[in-house]
Amino acid sequence: MGSNLFLQTIMRLGIFSGLIFFMVCWAAEASPPLNLTAEVKQVRLGPYLELLEDPQHQETIESVAAPARRADFESNEQAIPNFGFTASAMWARFELVNRSAQDTQWVLELNYARIGEIALYFQNETGHWEQQWAGTYHPSPPKIRYRNPSFRIALKAQESQVFYLWFPASSVALDLTLWEPIAFAEKVRQDQSRVGIYYGSLLIMWLYNFVLFLSLRDRNYLYYLLYVLGFLLWMCTYDGLTEEVFGHSKFWTSPQLGAFLVAFHEFWLVQFGRGFLKTRVHAPLLDRWLILLMVVLGIEMVLALLLGIVISRFWLLMLIPMVALVVVISLFVAALRCWLRNYRPAFFFLVAFSTIMVGASVLVLKLMAVLPSNVFTENALFLGAYLEIFLLALALTDRFKVMKEERELALQQQLAGTERIAALNHVFQKFVPYEFLNFLQKEEVTDLQLGDCIETEMTVLFIDIRAFTQLSEQMTPEANFQFINEYLSQMGPVIREHQGFVDKYIGDAIVALFPQADDAVQAAVAMLNQLSRWNASRKQNQHPTIRVGIGINTGKLMLGTVGERHRMEGTVISDAVNLASRLEGLTKRYGVSLVVSENTFFALKNQHRYAIRCIDRVLVAGKKNAVSIFEVYEGDSEEMKAQKQATVREFEEARSLFHLKRFQEAEALFANCLVRHPEDPVAAFFQHQCEYHLQHGWDEHWDGVTQVDTK
């Protein structure tokens, strides 16, 4: 008896110790505070949340914020907490610590536009609790007009603040993100662009089918239009766009409207499926089942309008996704049945409903908390719906195609013309480079439209023959064309070998574009080397030597098509192109072959790979800002390159003295450079400039920038 009592005492002590150990461990695993620094632009709050369920909706901020209730909160283990269907309310607790030495502003966003209401609680300077409200039942906070509920948070320097969130938990995915205001504004801008493209394309598709309905007068088009219209309006309410577009309105944000639109668009979807698939003929039993579903959907529309009177919001939210899932599966089975009976239009319908069935299933499973909330589960319905609407439009179009014999005849004619089209495309690509089409995201030349354009950063190469006018005057017109074509045949392949393409020929000049600055510089050096070999060949035939100047600049440009309806061409428009042309002109001034701008120099992956030196800082005609220019002498002869390399440091020192207006010292150093390399045209140019300034004086306000007024 005594031993049993002893064992019971030991067991009780063990259980008590285990409970104490568990509570200590649990407290040690409380969610950590979020430390905010100047480097933080956005952060997901999931790992920093602690959650408390309020089944009876009886808790207040004073009760949950009491120190004794801290242990009741549970650390969140999900990246995005998903509570499924529940009648409970939830409290979320998180702590923010401003590690910055300055006061900071933040935006707290809930990526769940459908929530009715959510409250944020925080203590003010007096210790009292303040609250902010958001959600469809409340207007957006001042200065935040966005579809997702958002709050403004202010933290003083080195301040630590605890915040609480209250919200009804049914089907809510608590995807919270804390944003730095500028990052939040950029996120809103990108989101608006995405939403605009998505809904804009759906609206265009609807208008296109509306025009077809007016011309064909087919009732199936009417059913389809009513379905898409209801679906678009529902998605706008589901995605929170109605408040962002129309402002806070009880009509657009009411749960009755959302529930009604779900039943409305599903009702017309079922009717469209019955008419399109001709289920009365191909699947009579399924047709009766679909009629029953339409009755259920009609009742659902009535219940939605009587929300809060006949049925609670919770039970209606439970009913809607279940009926929607049954509708999608039923129409999929009906389409499969009709397709198996060799009804050809059912194929498009079947494919379309494969997409919406997957999207709707993922959404329902996410709402029931079977699947986690993430990018895929949040957007599966939108993607599936887009594909479904698009494919259903194709299905409708397919019903009105010509007879099989006419299609076969058209196919034969198309096959007969394929070879001619391929030949024409090959010829067209000589006028419009493939790279040009690729940048504009076009497959064929025939896809180009007037005004197609894109902004991108590229490197522009401008090359021109020196003294071409004198050369051309010594040749006949036929010889001129022969000479230019032979010259361009030497240069064009080099450009393509270095991933560039010719934008245009301007007489003897070439404008070429390169995605990378290194490719452009390497192409220019290779062109100079190719020109040397061609000159050697011309010399044997007693033809004059050809010299060129090359200017290269990197910058933003607009690439696209210009002209008018009957005549257009591809081109580039940018100040970067004009500067490349000016740099080519400067090669004559300094007596060099290849000049690049500072934009290109700093865009090079490894400047030390090339024989290159800075030669001046200039302000060219038509520009407001000066630009540093560099000579790339990688294409010079080995002897000249070695001589320039040997004097590069002395040259740089002399040039620095020149820009400091210490002309006498600079002139001496330039003279030393010329002693070691008498054929250095840049050193000779600056020596002459030094002598000029020493003889005629200089402007005391001169800032060292060379102004070039000629184009």
Side-chain angles (χ1 to χ4, degrees), residues 98-165:
N98 181 14
R99 297 298 184 186
S100 174
Q102 298 177 345
D103 296 351
T104 57
Q105 298 284 334
W106 302 89
V107 177
L108 177 63
E109 177 207 9
L110 172 62
N111 188 23
Y112 191 83
R114 286 81 64 191
I115 193 169
E117 55 186 354
I118 182 172
L120 174 70
Y121 293 90
F122 56 92
Q123 285 183 309
N124 58 24
E125 296 178 351
T126 63
H128 293 89
W129 289 99
E130 293 188 9
Q131 65 180 6
Q132 295 181 19
W133 287 94
T136 58
Y137 299 163
H138 302 274
S140 299
K143 299 182 181 180
I144 302 181
R145 186 168 181 177
Y146 183 48
R147 61 191 184 89
N148 286 338
S150 305
F151 302 96
R152 286 195 175 275
I153 292 177
L155 292 174
K156 295 185 179 299
Q158 303 299 325
E159 180 186 9
S160 176
Q161 177 75 283
V162 176
F163 296 85
Y164 290 84
L165 285 169

Side-chain angles (χ1 to χ4, degrees), residues 40 63 216 398 457:
V40 175
S63 65
L216 298 173
D398 185 66
E457 181 174 292

Side-chain angles (χ1 to χ4, degrees), residues 20 76 97 100 305 386 451 472 704 709:
I20 295 297
N76 171 52
V97 181
S100 174
L305 296 176
Y386 185 91
S472 64
D709 298 325

Side-chain angles (χ1 to χ4, degrees), residues 21 28 94 128 203 300 622 624 631 653:
F21 177 77
F94 60 95
H128 293 89
L203 181 60
E300 189 176 307
K624 294 182 179 180
E631 178 199 4
E653 183 180 356

